[in-house]
Amino acid sequence: SASQPFHTAAAAGVSMDRKVLRALVLGLCVLSLSSLSSSAPINEKIQDDKKPQAAGDGPPTPKGYQGPGGRPDLKPPGPNASPEEKKAYGEKMRDFRKKEAEERRAKAQADQARRASQNKVPNPEEIRKREEAKRRRAPDGRPQRPSGSPGAGQLFSALTKPLKPVKVKIPLSEEDETVFMAAREGLMKAVEAKAPEYDMQKPETREKIKKMTEENQAKVLQLMLEAVKEGSTMQEARIGMMIAQFQALPSSIKDEAIKGAKIRQEKMPAGHRNRQAERMKDLNHQERTALDPLDKDQKEEWVRNRYKPAGPKAPLKTDEKAEIK
């Protein structure tokens, strides 16, 4: 009949729905079994955590626990710990608390001493020195010297006697280089030893230092002129004079300065040392090129135009008719 195909199709649809339902039920069973098997280790771990700890293990220790006072060895003993373990723990705690008390006591004493030093009343001499230091300060807060007071460079020039330069050639030999490096430090040590004899707060002392500086600068110029006329460059004359002044110092100062210079040379990078030597050679070559074509009188004029000492300029010779420019 006409309705038979419809019933057959409906029966086939019902049969298909049952097969799908059966497959879904089977899939759910498989998933349930797999989830049970994967949770087994977790359940076992939970059961293990619930087991009582062995004797002496103590209570569960939270992560990152460091014991009282941050000491890992002060972990409290468990309820089932032996008397010896409990006694050892008590001794450790007593030692720790004793040390902690000593540290607190030392800190309190240091704080008390600091507060006492801050609150102490300075004596009148200290107050006077502080007031003088304030008056000698410039508007920007830097210490300033009294008007006309010589600086470090002028004091060095005043207390370092000029001497005839020794003969040196650039590039310097290894020995001359070491001595030249030590000369500045050695000469400054000698000046520092003499400086306390001069009270720079007194106007008459400042005037004396100024006069000594001018006399020494005039002598330096005269010695440099002689050295240049004999064939040295200005740079060679300066280095030779410093070496001569250094050689005239006491042996104790020289030995210490030479030792320090050798240490600095060892620590100095090779590249920096080479660049220094090259700059010295370049300057010496420029001076040599300028001086070689000149006669003695022209050399004197050339040196006077280039001699620029710190502080007051050295006076020119009295028989000169005009200022050399």
Side-chain angles (χ1 to χ4, degrees):
S1 64
S3 62
Q4 186 174 359
F6 175 79
H7 291 297
T8 303
V14 172
S15 176
M16 183 64 67
D17 291 342
R18 288 176 180 174
K19 289 180 180 180
V20 172
L21 183 61
R22 192 180 299 115
L24 289 174
V25 172
L26 183 60
L28 290 173
C29 292
V30 171
L31 289 174
S32 300
L33 290 174
S34 63
S35 63
L36 288 173
S37 62
S38 63
S39 62
I42 299 175
N43 294 332
E44 291 175 2
K45 186 177 185 309
I46 294 173
Q47 293 299 325
D48 290 340
D49 292 340
K50 291 182 179 179
K51 289 180 181 179
Q53 293 180 332
D57 285 350
T61 303
K63 183 178 180 181
Y65 177 78
Q66 293 294 317
R71 304 298 177 90
D73 57 343
L74 297 182
K75 181 180 177 181
N80 299 326
S82 63
E84 291 79 10
E85 290 176 335
K86 294 180 179 179
K87 182 179 179 181
Y89 173 75
E91 291 175 354
K92 289 180 181 179
M93 283 298 298
R94 280 194 296 272
D95 293 340
F96 171 66
R97 287 170 181 159
K98 182 179 178 181
K99 183 178 179 180
E100 197 176 40
E102 290 174 353
E103 292 175 352
R104 284 198 301 267
R105 189 159 47 248
K107 185 176 182 299
Q109 291 174 352
D111 292 341
Q112 184 177 2
R114 178 178 54 80
R115 288 193 295 270
S117 65
Q118 291 175 347
N119 297 331
K120 74 173 183 178
V121 178
N123 58 45
E125 183 65 18
E126 290 180 351
I127 295 175
R128 185 185 66 79
K129 289 181 178 179
R130 290 179 185 176
E131 292 299 324
E132 287 183 357
K134 288 180 181 178
R135 286 195 298 270
R136 289 197 302 268
R137 287 189 176 274
D140 58 357
R142 295 178 301 171
Q144 63 179 1
R145 300 189 306 271
S147 177
S149 177
Q154 193 171 351
L155 189 63
F156 181 89
S157 300
L159 302 183
T160 306
K161 296 300 179 183
L163 296 176
K164 183 177 180 180
V166 299
K167 287 285 186 180
V168 296
K169 288 295 181 183
I170 295 175
L172 298 175
S173 65
E174 186 174 350
E175 180 182 358
D176 286 342
E177 184 180 357
T178 303
V179 174
F180 177 56
M181 184 174 288
R184 182 71 179 180
E185 180 180 352
L187 292 171
M188 284 303 299
K189 288 283 185 183
V191 170
E192 288 172 2
K194 298 177 185 177
E197 302 174 9
Y198 300 89
D199 185 1
M200 297 304 174
Q201 303 301 321
K202 296 181 179 179
E204 57 270 22
T205 304
R206 296 197 296 273
E207 189 63 29
K208 180 181 178 181
I209 291 294
K210 181 180 178 181
K211 184 178 179 181
M212 292 169 62
T213 300
E214 293 173 349
E215 292 174 354
N216 285 348
Q217 288 172 355
K219 183 65 174 177
V220 168
L221 177 58
Q222 188 63 36
L223 293 171
M224 190 172 293
L225 286 171
E226 294 175 3
V228 171
K229 289 178 181 180
E230 292 175 1
S232 297
T233 63
M234 284 186 68
Q235 184 176 211
E236 289 172 342
R238 284 194 182 97
I239 295 174
M241 185 178 294
M242 284 193 70
I243 292 177
Q245 292 168 330
F246 177 74
Q247 291 173 346
L249 295 176
S251 299
S252 57
I253 296 178
K254 288 193 294 185
D255 294 343
E256 184 180 354
I258 289 289
K259 184 178 178 181
K262 289 181 178 179
I263 293 174
R264 290 197 300 275
Q265 283 179 326
E266 292 174 358
K267 293 182 178 180
M268 185 182 297
H272 178 68
R273 192 171 178 180
N274 293 337
R275 286 192 296 271
Q276 257 187 349
E278 287 299 321
R279 285 195 296 268
M280 191 178 293
K281 285 174 60 178
D282 291 343
L283 176 59
N284 196 69
H285 177 71
Q286 293 173 13
E287 292 185 356
R288 178 70 61 194
T289 303
L291 286 169
D292 283 346
L294 306 179
D295 58 26
K296 289 187 177 181
D297 292 337
Q298 291 172 330
K299 286 180 179 180
E300 180 173 344
E301 181 179 356
W302 188 90
V303 171
R304 286 182 178 276
N305 285 335
R306 283 157 182 79
Y307 179 61
K308 307 291 184 184
K313 293 185 178 180
L316 299 176
K317 292 194 299 184
T318 55
D319 59 346
E320 291 192 18
K321 300 300 182 182
E323 182 180 358
I324 298 173
K325 296 183 180 179

